[in-house]
Amino acid sequence: MKDFNWMYVLICILIGFLTYNRRALDLWGSLLMVVMGFIIIIAAGFNWLILIFIFLILSLFATKYKKDYKKSMNLYEGRRSARNVMSNGIIPFIMASFSYYDGFLGGFIGSVATATADTLASEIGILQTPRLITDLTRKVKPGTDGGVSPLGTAAGIIGAGIIGLSAYFLQICPNPITSIKIAVIAGTIGCFMDSILGALFERKNYINNEQVNLLATITGAAAGIILLHL
């Protein structure tokens, strides 16, 4: 158990309230985030939770960006639910809760970077006509499962890089090169896995968006664990 400070818990509750008040998460999503945050503070430390908050902030800004355009295209997702919190957050939560295991540091950074890269790629990428990742000669409508674009890919890589830099400055990872390497490579791999799963399975309704997000963060975590030891 890390050094415990009730002030951190109050901050966690405040952020949970703000995410609900700003309509980023619904009530159950905000409550679940607070509970998971409380456990992360105890198991890994407040600095690990801050990295997840950075993901939330980046996601919020990306979602709100060009809001009117997204609404006109019926692509504005708006308030997210507890299912979204679970699908994007359960793997980082597990990695942080068992951070004493060898490699889970890399898994944590990789999974958070994946969630960040995927969200930014999706929210920014829809501003440009995408192509299907399994057939790059085929243009598809913005918001199509499995669609990728240079703009979205660039946004995802930048988002992953921000997570890597933040993990270093928050003293989660002591080596900046290692931190950025894990975040950018694992985050990009996880993001592309999300698109591949979307193209192959989600478009055919074999799995849903939450399941795709979960599998993508698992991929990012696995890549992060491997990269930590390279």
Side-chain angles (χ1 to χ4, degrees):
M1 180 184 292
K2 300 295 180 180
D3 294 335
F4 187 78
N5 188 325
W6 279 103
M7 183 60 68
Y8 296 154
V9 177
L10 293 176
I11 293 173
C12 183
I13 293 172
L14 175 61
I15 292 176
F17 171 76
L18 289 175
T19 58
Y20 175 73
N21 188 57
R22 298 296 298 175
R23 304 184 68 81
L25 296 172
D26 65 13
L27 178 60
W28 289 109
S30 296
L31 289 174
L32 179 60
M33 187 199 74
V34 170
V35 172
M36 292 170 70
F38 178 75
I39 296 173
I40 289 174
I41 291 172
I42 295 174
F46 187 63
N47 55 332
W48 287 56
L49 183 59
I50 292 176
L51 193 68
I52 295 179
F53 287 157
I54 291 172
F55 153 65
L56 287 173
I57 292 169
L58 291 172
S59 298
L60 179 61
F61 278 114
T63 300
K64 299 292 185 182
Y65 184 65
K66 298 289 185 179
K67 177 180 176 180
D68 291 338
Y69 169 77
K70 292 174 183 176
K71 282 187 172 181
S72 70
M73 299 285 288
N74 199 29
L75 296 173
Y76 182 67
E77 190 164 349
R79 177 171 278 183
R80 288 171 165 82
S81 67
R83 292 175 63 183
N84 298 116
V85 175
M86 283 294 291
S87 61
N88 279 304
I90 190 63
I91 300 303
F93 170 73
I94 292 172
M95 295 294 111
S97 298
F98 299 94
S99 58
Y100 47 82
Y101 281 112
D102 184 41
F104 274 29
L105 164 64
F108 177 72
I109 295 174
S111 57
V112 176
T114 293
T116 305
D118 175 49
T119 302
L120 268 60
S122 298
E123 294 292 344
I124 304 298
I126 59 175
L127 304 178
Q128 187 178 61
T129 301
R131 295 176 183 269
L132 196 65
I133 193 170
T134 52
D135 181 5
L136 293 175
T137 63
R138 177 181 173 188
K139 292 183 178 181
V140 292
K141 292 181 179 180
T144 299
D145 297 324
V148 295
S149 68
L151 179 63
T153 300
I157 292 172
I158 291 171
I162 292 172
I163 293 299
L165 279 172
S166 300
Y168 167 68
F169 285 118
L170 290 169
Q171 300 181 347
I172 296 172
C173 182
N175 187 311
I177 302 301
T178 299
S179 186
I180 295 171
K181 176 186 72 174
I182 291 172
V184 171
I185 297 176
T188 302
I189 290 172
C191 184
F192 279 132
M193 176 58 72
D194 185 284
S195 297
I196 292 169
L197 291 171
L200 294 178
F201 302 109
E202 189 177 1
R203 292 181 73 236
K204 299 175 182 177
N205 295 318
Y206 293 152
I207 56 178
N208 60 32
N209 183 63
E210 287 77 20
Q211 292 166 330
V212 169
N213 290 339
L214 176 61
L215 292 170
T217 53
I218 290 174
T219 302
I225 291 171
I226 293 170
L227 287 165
L228 184 64
H229 292 98
L230 292 180

